[in-house]
Amino acid sequence: MDLPELAQRSSSSFNGFPTKAYVLRGPRDLRVQEGLLPLPGPDELQITIQAISLCRYDLHYFKHYWNEAERPVTLGIESAGTVTHVGSGVTKFEIGDAVAIEVGPPCGECTKCDGARYDLCESVNFRGADVPAPEYQGAFHEKINLLATRCYKLSRFSLELVALLKPLTVAIDALDQAQIRRSQSVLILGAGTIGLLCGAICTARFVNNVVIADIREDRMLFAVEHGYASKGIAVPIFGGQDVRDRLEFAKEVAASATKLCHTVYRRMPVDGFDLVLECSGSELSTQTAIYACRPNGKVLLVSMHNPIRAVPIAAAAHRKVEIMTANSTSTYEKAIDMLTKYNPALPNLRTLITHRFYGWANLSAALDMATRIKDDEEGPVLKVIVKLDDAPGSAVEN
């Protein structure tokens, strides 16, 4: 089955531009499809993709080829590029503009879209995900046509950082909802990209009492070394399946984190953290978050990998713990502002990019690397970037 966004080459004349898509047709089965991309519509931009950041959705589909529509799909959620053609009705962009691409076009007509939370639009379609609408393919295209309203003009920083905008918008939404203050204490559960970016925003907002926890000690140490958290705790792996045993283990982890923070920050209450950010998506981590939160504190579920979780809701209700969620795509402008304005307290976000691949020919190799925990030199694998705007001497850098 061919992707409808690309018209196949034929002997008949066609007003379009030669391009290629990198189409997933099975687990780890990425193939090149050539075709012609039509001119952008009046309200669209045509963009040449120049940087892609591989995310967990890309990796899940790449490994398992699970998608609702059961058809070939182009992945690519986090990306950036350069405008090569401008629709006749677009006035705010010019050819050559560097742009960030928003991944989830909303309908633009419902009450959610009229307000400030268009990310809650029930008709939103995320590019590169398991959506039934075939026109919303991902950024694994050399060129792509997009609504100009879902693109953001950029300047003064590299396209590879732009590819981190999507996870940064989620982290910003989380901390905005939490309304964190400088004097408060924060526990981050999970030192993946989202957890590290949440720590970066806390640091940028001069919140100093930040503890990060992870089952991977190397990631925890990475977070502390590069300024994403002030202290870290390595959590032992627990393999028990009994719910009561798991809850007891969660209590122990929560107590260890609280004790660590209280030892370092004497002003911190001994009864828990003001804010706990659950950034791993695991059930055990969610349980730990509730036990680690102080009375009247907040637990924010930032990562939603596991849709069904056994949660000690009575413990939360008894201590009046507020449970919130965050997964926004409506904070792109804030994220761009954070990247473009100098803030000496913000950690160097380039440290999140542990591996860089160059050129479309190395896309499969980049995906393979991103599925790993460590590289061949035992270094951690965090964010993997595919750069398409230049090419150094080697196909990969780390």
Side-chain angles (χ1 to χ4, degrees):
M1 184 184 297
D2 295 315
L3 297 177
E5 197 163 20
L6 294 182
Q8 297 302 295
R9 293 181 181 275
S10 67
S11 57
S12 60
S13 61
F14 181 78
N15 187 20
F17 303 93
T19 188
K20 295 177 182 177
Y22 296 81
V23 184
L24 189 70
R25 295 181 177 271
R28 299 181 183 267
D29 181 12
L30 201 64
R31 305 184 196 179
V32 178
Q33 177 178 312
E34 295 187 2
L36 293 166
L37 184 65
L39 284 164
D43 55 352
E44 292 182 329
L45 301 174
Q46 188 165 108
I47 297 167
T48 295
I49 302 298
Q50 292 189 302
I52 295 171
S53 174
L54 302 178
C55 75
R56 64 182 179 90
Y57 290 107
D58 298 325
L59 305 183
H60 176 78
Y61 297 128
F62 179 68
K63 289 191 294 184
H64 305 293
Y65 190 58
W66 181 91
N67 68 85
E68 180 181 325
E70 297 183 351
R71 63 162 175 267
V73 62
T74 50
L75 304 174
I77 291 178
E78 302 167 6
S79 59
T82 301
V83 176
T84 51
H85 289 86
V86 179
S88 59
V90 177
T91 59
K92 296 183 179 180
F93 293 88
E94 298 178 354
I95 292 175
D97 285 342
V99 293
I101 298 169
E102 188 167 3
V103 301
C107 72
E109 299 175 355
C110 67
T111 55
K112 302 293 191 305
C113 290
D114 287 339
R117 295 310 300 261
Y118 64 82
D119 56 304
L120 298 176
C121 171
E122 295 183 1
S123 299
V124 67
N125 284 295
F126 286 97
R127 290 186 175 274
D130 57 321
V131 296
E135 63 269 25
Y136 293 112
Q137 295 293 320
F140 287 8
H141 289 77
E142 291 180 338
K143 300 175 182 177
I144 195 169
N145 290 339
L146 295 167
L147 288 172
T149 54
R150 300 276 69 85
C151 298
Y152 297 86
K153 190 182 298 188
L154 305 164
S155 61
R156 299 199 305 276
F157 62 104
S158 72
L159 285 172
E160 70 173 21
L161 271 184
V162 174
L164 293 172
L165 276 175
K166 174 60 176 71
L168 186 58
T169 64
V170 176
I172 289 174
D173 180 54
L175 272 300
D176 283 353
Q177 288 195 65
Q179 298 180 329
I180 188 69
R181 299 191 300 274
R182 292 188 183 187
S183 61
Q184 291 184 314
S185 57
V186 180
L187 173 63
I188 300 172
L189 297 172
T193 301
I194 293 292
L196 292 169
L197 287 172
C198 284
I201 294 170
C202 287
T203 303
R205 296 179 181 181
F206 303 100
V207 180
N208 297 318
N209 304 350
V210 180
V211 175
I212 196 163
D214 200 281
I215 59 174
R216 296 265 314 284
E217 185 177 18
D218 59 339
R219 287 199 176 193
M220 177 272 291
L221 293 173
F222 175 93
V224 176
E225 178 184 353
H226 291 90
Y228 294 96
S230 46
K231 292 292 177 180
I233 180 171
V235 180
I237 296 176
F238 182 77
Q241 297 301 315
D242 182 80
V243 173
R244 292 183 181 179
D245 291 342
R246 293 174 68 83
L247 291 176
E248 286 302 316
F249 180 77
K251 289 179 182 179
E252 293 174 6
V253 174
S256 297
T258 302
K259 181 179 179 180
L260 170 66
C261 198
H262 179 68
T263 301
V264 177
Y265 309 109
R266 291 294 181 179
R267 291 178 295 175
M268 176 185 163
V270 296
D271 55 355
F273 291 81
D274 296 298
L275 171 65
V276 184
L277 297 165
E278 200 297 291
C279 300
S280 77
S282 76
E283 180 180 79
L284 189 56
S285 181
T286 306
Q287 296 162 350
T288 302
I290 291 175
Y291 289 130
C293 189
R294 68 164 177 80
N296 287 319
K298 297 176 181 178
V299 169
L300 228 155
L301 306 180
V302 187
S303 185
M304 301 299 289
H305 297 190
N306 189 344
I308 300 175
R309 312 180 199 183
V311 176
I313 197 67
H318 177 69
R319 293 180 295 121
K320 298 184 185 299
V321 171
E322 184 178 0
I323 300 176
M324 311 167 70
T325 63
N327 192 17
S328 177
T329 58
S330 59
T331 54
Y332 269 76
E333 292 180 352
K334 284 187 177 181
I336 292 171
D337 190 59
M338 176 174 288
L339 290 174
T340 54
K341 291 185 177 179
Y342 176 68
N343 182 347
L346 183 70
N348 179 8
L349 298 185
R350 283 187 174 84
T351 58
L352 286 176
I353 304 172
T354 56
H355 296 79
R356 295 169 175 83
F357 287 75
Y358 295 84
W360 287 109
N362 293 297
L363 180 57
S364 289
L367 286 160
D368 281 326
M369 176 62 75
T371 63
R372 299 171 59 177
I373 296 175
K374 293 185 177 182
D375 60 22
D376 293 339
E377 286 74 39
E378 294 298 310
V381 178
L382 291 171
K383 264 299 184 181
V384 177
I385 295 288
V386 182
K387 298 188 71 176
L388 306 159
D389 54 340
D390 53 10
S394 61
V396 58
E397 289 182 343
N398 57 359

